[in-house]
Amino acid sequence: MRAKTSVGEIEISASKIDRGEFKSQNGTIRMHSVACLRGMAAETLTGEIECNCSEPAEEYLLDCHSEQGKCTLPDVLGHGEKLLRLRSKAGAITTSFYGQNKATSC
């Protein structure tokens, strides 16, 4: 599944996808209760990224980077086979996984 926009928001909710690629220039990318078979990537210049996976963190390998925004990560990170790559130049990035309520900022 792919989605790309220049200004608008991208929102994916309650989905199970093979592989996801989402890009936005200035809009927020929101993924709520999303599961994937092979991994996901989300990239935005000035928008925020909110990622809520419906699977445990242990199934994912998280690669998160924001140059000017804050990254909020779960307390426990996995080393799974599914790559979750999140990039923002100026927006905040928030991640959470099934069964985890706490998050830590970096």
Side-chain angles (χ1 to χ4, degrees):
M1 171 184 284
R2 290 183 183 180
K4 184 177 181 178
T5 182
S6 295
V7 178
E9 179 177 296
I10 298 172
E11 185 164 350
I12 299 93
S13 183
S15 298
K16 186 165 189 172
I17 56 178
D18 181 46
R19 179 167 169 71
E21 294 181 30
F22 311 107
K23 291 186 179 185
S24 176
Q25 292 289 324
N26 298 312
T28 296
I29 299 173
R30 289 188 174 91
M31 299 176 279
H32 298 284
S33 297
V34 175
C36 68
L37 297 175
R38 296 190 299 160
M40 290 185 286
E43 183 178 337
T44 181
L45 290 177
T46 60
E48 296 181 359
I49 298 174
E50 297 174 12
C51 182
N52 172 263
C53 294
S54 61
E55 300 171 300
E58 293 79 16
E59 295 188 23
Y60 290 89
L61 178 60
L62 183 59
D63 179 8
C64 178
H65 178 74
S66 180
E67 290 182 28
Q68 299 171 355
K70 180 172 74 171
C71 291
T72 304
L73 308 172
D75 286 339
V76 177
L77 297 176
H79 294 89
E81 295 181 8
K82 302 174 190 180
L83 178 61
L84 182 56
R85 186 174 191 271
L86 309 173
R87 295 281 188 268
S88 180
K89 184 153 180 105
I93 298 174
T94 304
T95 58
S96 62
F97 295 89
Y98 175 79
Q100 295 178 327
N101 295 325
K102 291 184 177 182
T104 304
S105 296
C106 62

